[in-house]
Amino acid sequence: MRSFAEHLDTPAGRGDLANHPHSGAAGGAPCGDLVRIAVRVDGDRVTEAGFDAEGCGAVTAAASAIVESIEGESFLSACRLNAGEVASGLGLTPPKRHAAELAADALHRALGAAAKQQAVSVEPSERRTLVAMSGGVDSAAAAQLALDAGDEVVAVTLELWSDPGTDGELSCCSPQAVRGARELAHRMGIPHVTLDLRKRFRTEVVDRFLDGYAAGRTPNPCVRCNGEVRFDAMLELAGALGAARLATGHYARIARDDRGPLIRAAADPRKDQSYMLARLDPALLDRLSFPLGGLTKDAVRALARDAGLPVADKRESQDLCFVAGLGGRAFLQRHGGPRLRTPGEIVDRQGNVLGRHEGQHNYTVGQRRGLGLATPEPLYVLERDAESNRVVVGPREALATKRVLLEDATLHRDPGEVETVRLRYHAEPLACRVHVQEDGALELELDEAANGVAPGQLACLMRQDQVVGEGTIGEPG
């Protein structure tokens, strides 16, 4: 690498590819430094790179060094370049290291844009594994297991959400999470690709989440994200990078019968995430790997410690990724608009007004606490009526139901093979039978009554510990 002064005097690629679409930018207010890097990718190689920069000389030198380092290199080699190498090569002091970090961020955004726009094509290899890395211990352990197996490992992180009102350090898909995951991957010697899916995630997941609450439902955005956004994008990238499989840190397994593969519950029921993966198309499963499915969380942390991974004891976030540090109620208030801020009445089943609410979205079917009602007997939320903007409450026994209607249901096996259903994440499976109605809709008949069945949640249909179908819980008939 040329010296800092040489890169300042004769910057490599300054002004090149000024309008090229495969570009990424980083910086701006409040630091004042801004850098944009663009790449031209032909097959598996970066054939040209360029940059523009504003601010201190260190940003110009860092961007120039990056451009010079990656031109002519393979795409995956470029994906290994990190801020530490750039800072060290230029002799940047700690106060100037931010310049290398900004330039590295811009580079990896540019490489991600090239991958996202299908400009990359790498020769396939049966030993190449793409690993979804969030920066947490589970995904890091999945990557380590692939390395231990002798695979050529490439990491991918999805940038899904950026909101100053949430805590990016607690989210698995924020800009901070992307940088943390990239640093971890590079520490492990793994090339890293970032896919920016923020627009798609907002439209297909967050907006539908808000619409669901506005309609009086309790949606499950993680199920939708896994089934319709995350895995499709990552498997497409795996194909472009010539990876034979995509591995993730989910706690689930894959079973096979004479009709093909199915999602199977994890060995550790406390960590099982098969419910969250229920909307995955079984046709994708032959290209997926869940290496943690047979392990406990303690075993995963021990594996990470033995490998010297710095995230071995990193705590887990309990929030949805896009509400991290803010909370669901505050998120709905912030992003839901007037439709989620309208006060209304709390009524009993006969329509008698018992109190007021500040927004029906603040309540959940089955909720008892926090109703603000003074009544001789405990009352529970029975229904959120969005049309009348009323919350209906009643005694616990009124929650019980033995029939559940499903919308947009998909069966992977015959209806008679369904043995149980899980009506919420981590809920106990309930014995049931599936009835296919004349219009093709599904109705579940439960052996025992369930309380607090919430419209909008996913119903995960099981045969033993295998997912054989799913559907969205509809309004009571």
Side-chain angles (χ1 to χ4, degrees):
M1 185 178 291
R2 291 189 296 152
S3 71
F4 181 90
E6 288 172 322
H7 280 291
L8 272 185
D9 290 342
T10 55
R14 185 161 202 166
D16 294 349
L17 303 180
N19 298 311
H20 199 69
H22 303 157
S23 66
C31 71
D33 294 325
L34 178 64
V35 59
R36 173 185 172 275
I37 291 179
V39 296
R40 191 187 306 278
V41 179
D42 184 7
D44 66 348
R45 200 150 297 275
V46 179
T47 57
E48 188 179 359
F51 82 95
D52 291 295
E54 300 175 7
C56 70
V59 173
T60 295
S64 171
I66 283 176
V67 165
E68 197 166 78
S69 296
I70 65 172
E71 273 194 339
E73 294 293 321
S74 73
F75 178 82
L76 292 179
S77 292
C79 290
R80 294 179 185 273
L81 189 61
N82 61 70
E85 294 175 53
V86 176
S88 177
L90 294 175
L92 297 180
T93 60
K96 293 293 185 181
R97 182 186 166 90
H98 78 283
E101 292 173 346
L102 290 180
D105 281 349
L107 166 67
H108 287 281
R109 286 185 180 277
L111 295 171
K116 179 182 175 183
Q117 295 166 28
Q118 302 179 345
V120 182
S121 178
V122 180
E123 187 72 21
S125 169
E126 281 300 316
R127 297 306 305 173
R128 187 175 300 126
T129 297
L130 180 66
V131 179
M133 288 191 70
S134 66
V137 63
D138 294 331
S139 58
Q144 186 62 51
L145 287 170
L147 289 172
D148 293 344
D151 287 357
E152 177 191 354
V153 179
V154 182
V156 59
T157 304
L158 304 183
E159 184 176 356
L160 301 177
W161 190 253
S162 179
D163 179 359
T166 56
D167 187 343
E169 298 296 336
L170 297 177
S171 173
C172 63
C173 57
S174 66
Q176 297 96 315
V178 168
R179 179 177 285 183
R182 187 172 71 232
E183 291 175 352
L184 178 59
H186 287 161
R187 177 184 175 126
M188 298 173 70
I190 300 171
H192 182 274
V193 180
T194 302
L195 289 185
D196 184 348
L197 300 181
R198 286 177 292 176
K199 289 184 179 179
R200 182 177 173 187
F201 182 77
R202 173 75 203 214
T203 300
E204 298 186 27
V205 178
V206 176
D207 285 350
R208 293 189 183 186
F209 174 79
L210 296 170
D211 290 344
Y213 270 96
R217 297 194 158 205
T218 307
N220 195 311
C222 298
V223 172
R224 181 177 296 278
C225 184
N226 285 327
E228 301 178 24
V229 177
R230 292 171 60 90
F231 280 84
D232 287 353
M234 292 190 293
L235 283 170
E236 185 175 35
L237 177 64
L241 298 181
R245 67 200 63 82
L246 168 68
T248 79
H250 288 95
Y251 288 83
R253 293 177 288 181
I254 297 174
R256 286 174 173 81
D257 61 16
D258 57 1
R259 295 180 58 185
L262 294 166
I263 292 287
R264 182 186 178 197
D268 184 352
R270 297 172 302 171
K271 298 302 298 179
D272 173 46
Q273 293 175 295
S274 58
Y275 178 95
M276 291 299 186
L277 301 173
R279 197 165 279 179
L280 281 180
D281 184 347
L284 303 177
L285 297 181
D286 281 332
R287 299 176 60 202
L288 295 178
S289 172
F290 303 122
L292 308 188
L295 303 177
T296 65
K297 186 73 176 195
D298 289 343
V300 168
R301 290 198 184 278
L303 183 158
R305 287 190 206 100
D306 290 344
L309 300 180
V311 293
D313 296 299
K314 184 176 180 179
R315 70 186 183 96
E316 297 177 295
S317 172
Q318 301 301 313
D319 281 332
L320 298 173
C321 64
F322 55 89
V323 307
L326 185 63
R329 182 171 294 190
F331 179 88
L332 291 169
Q333 186 76 7
R334 178 182 175 89
H335 292 277
R339 59 184 178 165
L340 292 181
R341 299 176 192 151
T342 306
E345 297 172 338
I346 301 176
V347 301
D348 62 18
R349 288 181 292 173
Q350 289 73 43
N352 299 310
V353 177
L354 305 180
R356 301 280 296 175
H357 66 75
E358 295 301 316
Q360 54 84 17
H361 63 282
N362 291 321
Y363 301 84
T364 302
V365 172
Q367 177 180 336
R368 174 188 171 188
R369 299 183 183 277
L371 302 183
L373 302 176
T375 57
E377 299 293 332
L379 295 177
Y380 298 78
V381 174
L382 305 180
E383 180 186 355
R384 291 160 45 207
D385 188 336
E387 186 173 349
S388 66
N389 194 28
R390 283 181 157 188
V391 174
V392 182
V393 297
R396 178 179 173 81
E397 57 267 23
L399 286 169
T401 181
K402 281 193 169 186
R403 293 194 173 272
V404 179
L405 298 176
L406 300 187
E407 302 170 354
D408 303 321
T410 299
L411 283 173
H412 307 310
R413 299 294 184 265
D414 294 336
E417 296 186 44
V418 177
E419 298 173 349
T420 60
V421 61
R422 290 168 61 190
L423 298 172
R424 284 184 183 268
Y425 187 34
H426 287 321
E428 287 295 321
L430 302 175
C432 71
R433 287 169 297 285
V434 174
H435 301 292
V436 182
Q437 301 181 332
E438 290 184 2
D439 59 0
L442 301 185
E443 182 182 56
L444 304 182
E445 181 185 356
L446 307 179
D447 282 6
E448 297 181 10
N451 290 323
V453 178
Q457 285 282 292
L458 178 94
C460 181
L461 306 177
M462 310 287 293
R463 181 186 66 191
Q464 298 179 8
D465 62 355
Q466 301 165 13
V467 178
V468 292
E470 51 79 24
T472 301
I473 298 171
E475 303 296 335

